[in-house]
Amino acid sequence: MHYSPNEIVIFFLSISLLLFFARVIGETMQYIKQPIVIGEIIAGIVLGPTIFGSIFPAMFNELFNSSQIAMTALEGIIILGVVMLLLVSGLEIDLSLVVRQGKAAMLVSSAGILFPFTIGFFIAYCFPEWMGIKDINMRFVFALFVGISLSITSLPVVARTLMDLNIYKTKIGLIIITSAMFNDLVGWIVFSIILGIIGQNSHPIDLPTLIIVLFSFIMFMLLIGRKIINFLFPYIEKVTTSPGGVLNFIFVMGFLGAAFTEYIGIHAIFGAFIMGIAIGDTVHLKEEIREVIQQFVTNIFAPLFFVSIGLRVNFIDNFDLGIVSIFLFLAFVGKIVGCGLGAYWGGMSKNESLAVGFGMNSRGAMEIVLGTIAFQVGLIHEKVFVAIIIMALITSVVSAPMINFFLKRSRQLLTFLSLLKPENVFFTNSSSKQEVISQLCQTLANQYKLDSNKIFNEVMAREKLISTGLENHLAVPHAKIDVKDPLVAVAIHKNGIEFESLDGLPAKIIVLLITPKNDAELQLKLLAEISKQMNNIEKINKLVDSKDVNDFISKMKSLP
Amino acid sequence: MHYSPNEIVIFFLSISLLLFFARVIGETMQYIKQPIVIGEIIAGIVLGPTIFGSIFPAMFNELFNSSQIAMTALEGIIILGVVMLLLVSGLEIDLSLVVRQGKAAMLVSSAGILFPFTIGFFIAYCFPEWMGIKDINMRFVFALFVGISLSITSLPVVARTLMDLNIYKTKIGLIIITSAMFNDLVGWIVFSIILGIIGQNSHPIDLPTLIIVLFSFIMFMLLIGRKIINFLFPYIEKVTTSPGGVLNFIFVMGFLGAAFTEYIGIHAIFGAFIMGIAIGDTVHLKEEIREVIQQFVTNIFAPLFFVSIGLRVNFIDNFDLGIVSIFLFLAFVGKIVGCGLGAYWGGMSKNESLAVGFGMNSRGAMEIVLGTIAFQVGLIHEKVFVAIIIMALITSVVSAPMINFFLKRSRQLLTFLSLLKPENVFFTNSSSKQEVISQLCQTLANQYKLDSNKIFNEVMAREKLISTGLENHLAVPHAKIDVKDPLVAVAIHKNGIEFESLDGLPAKIIVLLITPKNDAELQLKLLAEISKQMNNIEKINKLVDSKDVNDFISKMKSLP
């Protein structure tokens, strides 16, 4: 227990190294648009026995094996880190959102748990040697674990991906997030029970009692505890120094929850997670306090956990292509079919359903926590551990580009703002409606190598049926022609030109909208969006007053 | 190294308990206007062998002694906590301020180090048994340590006290803060050298080399390293995710610094402290990042360190009245005489000098860190450790009220704004100068049981010499009479009355100022302050337009 100077040196040196490499490789991943956690895990593989340890074994042993005390302390900090990570993950779960998004999310997440769980459990139970079982007597528990490991979804990675794609607050984004939250909750409960089963030999509480205690704890915290916390919060804020008092309260509660679940024979992180949900739900928790916790935990403590994964095993020696392949295959099939079907039954299009499936497929941090614990309690051996980490990494990396691909195909990403390009916006002085439409057609024709006359004729034909001059100085001439993607061009006329508008005002902003021939729905959607984007005269006037094209576009994006 | 469930339970339970009690008792101290750190230390004494351990020894042993692994982890987190605390303390030191405040601060801090160091060293060397020396062969090192322990000042506690007293940005406040910073720097350097001497037996580097390496490190970091960090900072901010990248950089540098100084045979905290100074000096470090670190460290990690102090020894069994008394006596005499003389030679009044002396006397957190390390390396035994903790607590508690007392005596706290009471402010419609002065005198007379006629006569006598109508609608009739403290009353006249002002404008704000008879200086100071507070016509007009008395006072305080 006494720290010698040498042990303190190793302690700080190893922490610095882990943090530094986690950050550098994490930032590199960020740079190529991948979740930072992937870089943190790769950093661990680089610093661990796989690379650094096999090239410089003496240095590696000096740093990570020579001091029993320094390593015990590091392991303690890593346990603290992962408990804090789950506490923060819990804080992010919004129970009211789960209730509100109700039906669709329930379908997606139920199917997204049941289907992968069933195929995972079935394959692992019938062909346990395919999945690299460690102890054949543990067949049932192992199959349960495989089922759960396939049905987990990583809330933090999913949330990050949706934010990056700018669809966090859209309907499809909310459904994915809600399903992921529900998934996490169910997945962790079942995993806790598995841990309870494994721990049975060494633990005084029998399984039925354990399950009753566990459910009572969950129900108590999410129904009554949550209300008590919500009630106490303003009082705590009032009598304590801000933000220290609340910060302290959150960690004390989280650690007590951790101690409690660990005591009843379930991993500590589960208690922290449930406490996080109960605390995060209060409306009184200030954004800046959430921010302090979030920043500190995700940037200092969580990386120490993720980077430590690579220190545990040699990823090359323990790479088993068969086991990795079957885990990957089952992971992809299970989630994409399961969640995809759920979304499809919930009334989404085929492309949207696939986007949901790939969104829910990312296993990320949560899977890694689960795999690490299973490895530590001796449920799985090195090869399965490596397969699970690789599966978690690949499903997470694939997620964002695939959501992007299917949402693009389902036109969810085609918005007026995303179609607006500076080269297709210009100021004009033309004196007639015909002339400005001709300029707009010419612009698009030049840009995309199209036949200007053909577009012009189509637009004018539409214009003859009824004028596209709307209200508030806005006009939206449009046509469907033979293009693959929709196109827009914008002309700005400071004084306005007569456009036979509904309210008789001259048109100052003229938007030309070209959409693919056989997609009436897309045209309607974009027309509705354009008129909604410019639905008041004040905004139009501000837009018309733009200094230049870039100013116009930035106002377009920022004005309410 | 493997954590059993029971050890994880103990780990989280002990952390929760320590954090919880630290907070509750800390907030109680805060409530009675004492530094929170005092409550954290008391919480440790309550939870430690002194109280909890002696009443419930079995429970205490189960929690804090039964698990070797949990305690090693807790100790590791405490080491991490104190290193983080010194890193944050370093971030708070502003080198340019030390340079700017130059001469006065240098006098205060030099005298404030040399005097207590000399008496401490002398007494401890000549009468080591009085101070409870542990090993008489270590007489010289022990005397050095006593000298240093008496000459340290706690920057965080001092800063907090000055802010609470609202004098942080005044000249006297800046001098105290600057001296404290300089004090810390010198104190820690000398203490590092002491640690180097103690560690000589077990360490390969000999003392002269150690001192050279140490000074090279300090000089390099504070002169060149600081510039490199300042240069690199915007670059790091640009290429990394904000705020994670910078947060990570700060901790990696801090921990590397810690590993380095520990490696050369000096405690880890010193490297973190120097790194903190070098990093904190960059202009590019954003306030919100500083805030995240500050909040997390001072609310979660630092409390774990402070509360752990009480766990180390039994404060009742090891309380030795003789040792405690001599440490307390030398601490008070050393700092108050030393710093007080420095301030007095620097041109301050007697009362101001005493305020500076008591300000510099608070030992707080820094002394405790120093005492804990000395105890851990075996330089001092339990009784001296307890004496040092008690001395740190008492000097810190006494600091704020004593500064307050002497600054009040030196009139530093008597400002126009602090004298302004709502019951002495009124709106008037009176038609003559004489009438409004009479109203003002009556107000003060009623309020403080004075003779209204006497005041009126004094004021009018002064008024006859030359009118007190200043510029911009302001008039300040005044008199010195037989009162203990200065008094003010304010009349507001929306239309203004003729006051024979310098600029011919009618007086709209009439301030009556009464000061003690034999204090010409105070009268001049307050007159100057009043005219400075209302030196432009715009502000006067806004003040005259106040809705009511409270509005007037809040405008008085908030308008520039």
Side-chain angles (χ1 to χ4, degrees):
Chain A
M1 212 183 118
H2 181 72
Y3 284 71
S4 74
N6 186 42
E7 282 160 336
I8 294 179
V9 172
I10 290 177
F11 180 53
F12 282 107
L13 209 56
S14 56
I15 293 182
S16 318
L17 264 182
L18 296 180
L19 280 180
F20 178 75
F21 277 86
R23 196 75 209 179
V24 170
I25 307 186
E27 291 286 347
T28 315
M29 284 296 127
Q30 190 90 318
Y31 187 75
I32 57 171
K33 307 254 177 235
Q34 291 301 331
I36 211 161
V37 59
I38 293 171
E40 292 166 355
I41 292 166
I42 295 176
I45 297 175
V46 170
L47 286 175
T50 319
I51 299 183
F52 177 61
S54 75
I55 304 176
F56 305 105
M59 244 157 97
F60 175 79
N61 278 326
E62 176 70 24
L63 250 182
F64 296 113
N65 282 325
S66 70
S67 162
Q68 194 70 11
I69 284 182
M71 283 312 104
T72 305
L74 188 59
E75 186 71 32
I77 289 166
I78 289 166
I79 294 176
L80 202 68
V82 68
V83 163
M84 284 179 171
L85 175 69
L86 267 282
L87 180 64
V88 170
S89 303
L91 287 176
E92 278 171 14
I93 288 191
D94 181 351
L95 279 183
S96 61
L97 190 68
V98 175
V99 175
R100 267 206 313 280
Q101 286 298 320
K103 206 188 121 212
M106 208 52 89
L107 261 171
V108 170
S109 58
S110 306
I113 293 171
L114 287 178
F115 189 77
F117 181 84
T118 310
I119 61 166
F121 181 84
F122 179 78
I123 302 274
Y125 193 78
C126 298
F127 313 101
E129 65 286 356
W130 290 6
M131 316 288 289
I133 192 169
K134 192 180 172 188
D135 175 0
I136 198 75
N137 295 320
M138 300 277 279
R139 183 188 265 212
F140 176 73
V141 177
F142 178 71
L144 274 180
F145 169 75
V146 172
I148 277 303
S149 79
L150 294 175
S151 56
I152 233 160
T153 287
S154 180
L155 185 57
V157 175
V158 168
R160 187 56 171 275
T161 308
L162 295 178
M163 280 176 197
D164 287 350
L165 291 173
N166 247 322
I167 53 167
Y168 191 81
K169 298 271 169 187
T170 64
K171 195 182 161 227
I172 198 167
L174 282 178
I175 286 175
I176 295 179
I177 275 292
T178 315
S179 311
M181 286 180 189
F182 189 75
N183 230 329
D184 259 18
L185 195 57
V186 174
W188 282 105
I189 293 176
V190 178
F191 183 60
S192 300
I193 295 174
I194 297 180
L195 289 176
I197 298 175
I198 300 172
Q200 276 310 297
N201 310 328
S202 62
H203 210 273
I205 304 179
D206 64 274
L207 192 62
T209 316
L210 170 64
I211 293 176
I212 292 170
V213 173
L214 175 63
F215 273 87
S216 312
F217 170 66
I218 298 170
M219 285 297 134
F220 177 77
M221 282 317 300
L222 298 191
L223 297 176
I224 304 164
R226 190 165 63 98
K227 296 243 165 79
I228 298 176
I229 291 170
N230 190 41
F231 175 78
L232 281 179
F233 228 79
Y235 181 73
I236 295 170
E237 282 212 311
K238 222 184 85 192
V239 299
T240 63
T241 329
S242 178
V246 170
L247 215 56
N248 189 286
F249 174 75
I250 294 174
F251 281 100
V252 168
M253 291 299 283
F255 293 158
L256 281 180
F260 175 74
T261 49
E262 185 77 39
Y263 176 72
I264 61 170
I266 289 165
H267 200 279
I269 52 172
F270 186 69
F273 179 65
I274 294 288
M275 281 293 181
I277 300 178
I279 297 169
D281 222 52
T282 175
V283 289
H284 306 291
L285 179 56
K286 286 197 196 123
E287 206 38 58
E288 65 248 47
I289 293 178
R290 221 182 263 265
E291 185 72 12
V292 168
I293 299 179
Q294 168 86 15
Q295 293 302 346
F296 213 86
V297 171
T298 57
N299 289 305
I300 306 295
F301 284 94
L304 283 177
F305 166 71
F306 290 119
V307 78
S308 76
I309 290 158
L311 298 183
R312 295 182 198 279
V313 296
N314 187 320
F315 273 66
I316 293 175
D317 290 355
N318 290 296
F319 181 84
D320 181 312
L321 188 62
I323 299 177
V324 171
S325 307
I326 193 158
F327 263 97
L328 268 177
F329 176 76
L330 291 179
F332 272 85
V333 170
K335 271 287 167 181
I336 293 159
V337 174
C339 295
L341 278 181
Y344 194 71
W345 291 332
M348 290 191 181
S349 76
K350 217 168 64 187
N351 284 313
E352 284 173 336
S353 301
L354 281 166
V356 170
F358 274 99
M360 298 289 290
N361 190 33
S362 75
R363 303 302 202 292
M366 291 299 148
E367 182 77 44
I368 289 161
V369 173
L370 187 129
T372 308
I373 294 170
F375 179 54
Q376 282 175 328
V377 300
L379 176 60
I380 56 174
H381 62 50
E382 286 84 352
K383 291 186 178 172
V384 176
F385 176 63
V386 168
I388 283 178
I389 305 295
I390 293 175
M391 183 264 272
L393 290 180
I394 293 181
T395 52
S396 305
V397 169
V398 162
S399 183
M402 293 309 274
I403 297 179
N404 210 5
F405 177 76
F406 286 109
L407 285 190
K408 251 198 188 132
R409 274 185 56 177
S410 82
R411 307 291 184 203
Q412 284 275 346
L413 294 178
L414 292 176
T415 63
F416 170 57
L417 283 181
S418 70
L419 294 169
L420 199 62
K421 305 267 177 301
E423 51 274 23
N424 300 337
V425 179
F426 56 88
F427 291 85
T428 181
N429 282 316
S430 62
S431 52
S432 76
K433 175 172 164 175
Q434 207 146 338
E435 195 183 333
V436 75
I437 291 180
S438 157
Q439 289 172 338
L440 283 163
C441 294
Q442 196 59 48
T443 305
L444 287 184
N446 293 346
Q447 196 71 27
Y448 301 100
K449 313 271 174 272
L450 301 171
D451 180 347
S452 168
N453 280 328
K454 197 178 150 200
I455 309 177
F456 181 76
N457 290 337
E458 288 287 340
V459 174
M460 289 313 289
R462 167 70 190 77
E463 204 66 28
K464 257 168 214 148
L465 290 175
I466 185 169
S467 167
T468 58
L470 305 175
E471 290 175 303
N472 299 333
H473 304 298
L474 175 68
V476 192
H478 53 269
K480 283 179 278 191
I481 65 160
D482 189 19
V483 286
K484 238 183 88 218
D485 285 315
L487 307 171
V488 295
V490 177
I492 303 155
H493 198 293
K494 296 257 174 192
N495 301 318
I497 30 176
E498 176 52 37
F499 222 92
E500 300 147 68
S501 293
L502 294 169
D503 56 1
L505 293 173
K508 291 182 176 177
I509 294 188
I510 305 99
V511 182
L512 174 64
L513 172 69
I514 302 295
T515 50
K517 208 154 198 152
N518 43 18
D519 200 341
E521 203 188 329
L522 180 61
Q523 189 187 49
L524 282 176
K525 172 179 171 293
L526 286 169
L527 280 173
E529 195 203 339
I530 294 168
S531 69
K532 197 179 159 201
Q533 283 278 348
M534 292 184 276
N535 62 350
N536 76 72
I537 200 155
E538 264 174 61
K539 183 170 178 185
I540 297 268
N541 284 332
K542 280 184 193 155
L543 288 168
V544 171
D545 283 344
S546 301
K547 284 196 310 285
D548 53 34
V549 167
N550 288 323
D551 187 30
F552 173 83
I553 289 180
S554 79
K555 275 185 185 161
M556 198 66 230
K557 287 184 177 160
S558 63
L559 287 177
Chain B
M1 212 182 117
H2 180 73
Y3 284 71
S4 73
N6 186 41
E7 282 159 338
I8 295 179
V9 173
I10 290 177
F11 180 53
F12 282 107
L13 209 56
S14 56
I15 294 183
S16 318
L17 263 182
L18 297 180
L19 280 179
F20 178 75
F21 276 87
R23 195 74 208 180
V24 170
I25 307 186
E27 291 287 346
T28 315
M29 284 297 127
Q30 190 90 319
Y31 186 76
I32 57 170
K33 307 255 178 234
Q34 291 302 331
I36 210 161
V37 61
I38 293 173
E40 292 165 354
I41 292 167
I42 295 176
I45 297 176
V46 170
L47 286 175
T50 319
I51 299 183
F52 176 60
S54 74
I55 304 177
F56 305 105
M59 245 157 100
F60 176 78
N61 279 327
E62 176 69 24
L63 249 182
F64 296 113
N65 281 326
S66 70
S67 162
Q68 194 71 11
I69 285 183
M71 284 311 104
T72 306
L74 188 60
E75 186 71 31
I77 289 165
I78 289 165
I79 294 176
L80 201 70
V82 67
V83 163
M84 284 179 171
L85 175 68
L86 267 282
L87 180 65
V88 170
S89 304
L91 288 176
E92 278 170 16
I93 287 190
D94 180 351
L95 279 183
S96 61
L97 190 68
V98 176
V99 174
R100 267 205 314 278
Q101 285 298 321
K103 205 188 121 209
M106 207 54 89
L107 261 172
V108 170
S109 58
S110 307
I113 293 171
L114 287 177
F115 189 78
F117 181 84
T118 311
I119 60 164
F121 180 86
F122 179 79
I123 303 273
Y125 194 79
C126 298
F127 313 101
E129 63 288 354
W130 290 6
M131 316 287 289
I133 192 168
K134 189 181 174 187
D135 174 1
I136 198 76
N137 296 320
M138 300 277 277
R139 182 188 266 213
F140 176 73
V141 178
F142 178 72
L144 274 181
F145 169 76
V146 171
I148 277 303
S149 77
L150 294 175
S151 57
I152 233 159
T153 288
S154 179
L155 185 56
V157 176
V158 168
R160 186 58 172 275
T161 307
L162 296 177
M163 281 176 197
D164 286 350
L165 292 172
N166 247 321
I167 53 168
Y168 192 81
K169 299 270 170 189
T170 65
K171 195 180 161 231
I172 198 166
L174 282 176
I175 287 176
I176 295 178
I177 275 293
T178 315
S179 311
M181 286 181 189
F182 188 76
N183 228 330
D184 259 16
L185 194 57
V186 173
W188 282 105
I189 293 175
V190 179
F191 183 59
S192 301
I193 296 173
I194 297 180
L195 289 176
I197 299 175
I198 300 173
Q200 276 310 295
N201 309 328
S202 62
H203 209 272
I205 304 178
D206 64 272
L207 193 62
T209 317
L210 171 65
I211 293 176
I212 293 170
V213 173
L214 176 63
F215 273 88
S216 312
F217 170 68
I218 297 170
M219 285 297 135
F220 177 79
M221 282 318 300
L222 298 192
L223 297 176
I224 305 165
R226 189 166 62 98
K227 295 242 165 79
I228 297 176
I229 290 170
N230 190 39
F231 176 79
L232 281 180
F233 227 79
Y235 181 73
I236 295 170
E237 282 212 312
K238 221 185 84 194
V239 299
T240 62
T241 329
S242 179
V246 169
L247 215 56
N248 188 286
F249 174 76
I250 294 173
F251 281 100
V252 168
M253 292 300 282
F255 293 157
L256 281 180
F260 176 74
T261 48
E262 184 77 40
Y263 177 73
I264 63 172
I266 288 165
H267 200 277
I269 52 172
F270 187 68
F273 179 64
I274 294 288
M275 281 294 180
I277 300 178
I279 296 169
D281 222 52
T282 176
V283 289
H284 306 291
L285 179 55
K286 288 195 194 123
E287 206 39 56
E288 65 248 45
I289 293 177
R290 222 181 262 265
E291 185 72 11
V292 168
I293 299 178
Q294 167 87 19
Q295 292 302 349
F296 213 85
V297 172
T298 55
N299 288 306
I300 307 294
F301 285 94
L304 283 177
F305 167 71
F306 290 118
V307 78
S308 76
I309 291 159
L311 298 183
R312 297 181 197 280
V313 298
N314 186 319
F315 273 66
I316 293 174
D317 290 355
N318 291 296
F319 181 85
D320 182 313
L321 188 63
I323 300 177
V324 171
S325 307
I326 194 157
F327 264 96
L328 267 177
F329 176 75
L330 291 179
F332 273 85
V333 170
K335 271 289 165 179
I336 292 158
V337 174
C339 295
L341 278 182
Y344 193 71
W345 291 331
M348 289 190 181
S349 75
K350 217 169 62 187
N351 284 313
E352 284 173 335
S353 303
L354 281 166
V356 170
F358 274 99
M360 298 289 289
N361 189 35
S362 74
R363 303 303 202 290
M366 291 298 148
E367 183 78 44
I368 290 162
V369 174
L370 187 130
T372 308
I373 294 170
F375 179 54
Q376 282 175 329
V377 301
L379 176 59
I380 56 175
H381 61 50
E382 285 84 353
K383 290 186 179 172
V384 177
F385 175 65
V386 168
I388 284 179
I389 305 294
I390 292 174
M391 181 264 273
L393 291 180
I394 292 181
T395 53
S396 305
V397 170
V398 162
S399 184
M402 293 309 274
I403 297 179
N404 208 6
F405 177 76
F406 286 109
L407 285 189
K408 250 196 188 138
R409 276 184 54 176
S410 83
R411 309 293 186 200
Q412 283 277 347
L413 293 179
L414 292 175
T415 63
F416 170 56
L417 282 181
S418 70
L419 294 170
L420 199 61
K421 304 267 178 302
E423 52 273 25
N424 300 337
V425 179
F426 56 89
F427 291 86
T428 181
N429 284 314
S430 61
S431 52
S432 76
K433 176 173 164 175
Q434 207 146 340
E435 193 183 333
V436 75
I437 291 180
S438 158
Q439 287 171 340
L440 284 163
C441 293
Q442 196 60 49
T443 305
L444 287 184
N446 293 345
Q447 196 70 27
Y448 303 99
K449 316 269 173 274
L450 302 171
D451 180 346
S452 170
N453 280 327
K454 197 179 152 199
I455 310 177
F456 181 75
N457 291 337
E458 289 288 339
V459 174
M460 289 312 289
R462 167 69 191 80
E463 205 65 29
K464 257 167 212 148
L465 292 173
I466 185 171
S467 168
T468 58
L470 305 175
E471 291 176 304
N472 300 331
H473 304 297
L474 175 68
V476 192
H478 53 268
K480 284 181 278 192
I481 65 161
D482 189 19
V483 286
K484 241 183 88 218
D485 287 314
L487 307 171
V488 295
V490 178
I492 303 155
H493 198 292
K494 295 256 174 192
N495 302 317
I497 29 176
E498 176 52 38
F499 223 94
E500 301 147 68
S501 293
L502 295 169
D503 56 1
L505 292 174
K508 292 183 175 175
I509 295 188
I510 305 99
V511 182
L512 173 64
L513 172 68
I514 302 297
T515 51
K517 208 152 198 154
N518 43 18
D519 199 340
E521 203 188 329
L522 179 62
Q523 188 186 52
L524 281 176
K525 173 180 168 290
L526 285 169
L527 279 173
E529 197 205 337
I530 293 168
S531 70
K532 198 179 158 203
Q533 282 279 348
M534 293 184 274
N535 62 351
N536 75 72
I537 199 156
E538 262 173 63
K539 183 170 177 184
I540 296 267
N541 284 330
K542 279 185 194 154
L543 287 169
V544 171
D545 283 344
S546 301
K547 283 197 310 286
D548 54 35
V549 168
N550 288 322
D551 187 31
F552 173 84
I553 289 181
S554 78
K555 275 185 184 162
M556 200 65 232
K557 287 185 178 162
S558 63
L559 288 176

